[in-house]
Amino acid sequence: MRQYTDSEKRTLGKVVCNLCGRELRLEQGILKEGVFSGDTRWGYFSDRDGEHHRFDLCEACYERLIRQFKVPVSVEEETELL
């Protein structure tokens, strides 16, 4: 879950893992550790039609979650990091 210091949502004030509740390390509005951000808008044919969901997971919770998958995530190596 992201909290911003301004109404334009330009400067991060806090990022909290939605699963474990741990506050992620932030320095001067810059996230200093890995995070998985989920963002989806539910559409027709779902039980959540018209809802917009957002969440953040720390790396430990992301790893715990994907270990439960029956079909593993697709992983590709990136040669240039942003």
Side-chain angles (χ1 to χ4, degrees), residues 3-67:
Q3 295 177 356
Y4 294 88
T5 60
D6 57 337
S7 59
E8 292 85 30
K9 295 186 175 182
R10 293 183 184 183
T11 306
L12 275 175
K14 183 194 268 191
V15 180
V16 176
C17 176
N18 284 78
L19 188 57
C20 70
R22 183 175 70 81
E23 188 171 336
L24 281 67
R25 192 163 49 98
L26 202 64
E27 291 178 15
Q28 298 177 344
I30 299 170
L31 197 53
K32 294 291 189 169
E33 63 180 286
V35 64
F36 174 86
S37 296
D39 186 324
T40 192
R41 295 175 191 272
W42 295 95
Y44 296 119
F45 313 112
S46 77
D47 292 335
R48 300 184 179 279
D49 189 15
E51 294 180 4
H52 184 186
H53 290 205
R54 293 186 190 115
F55 65 92
D56 293 298
L57 297 177
C58 67
E59 284 189 78
C61 288
Y62 173 78
E63 291 296 330
R64 193 172 347 143
L65 175 69
I66 66 169
R67 278 196 297 267

Side-chain angles (χ1 to χ4, degrees), residues 74-82:
S74 174
V75 178
E76 298 177 13
E77 291 292 324
E78 296 287 329
T79 56
E80 293 189 31
L81 302 176
L82 299 177

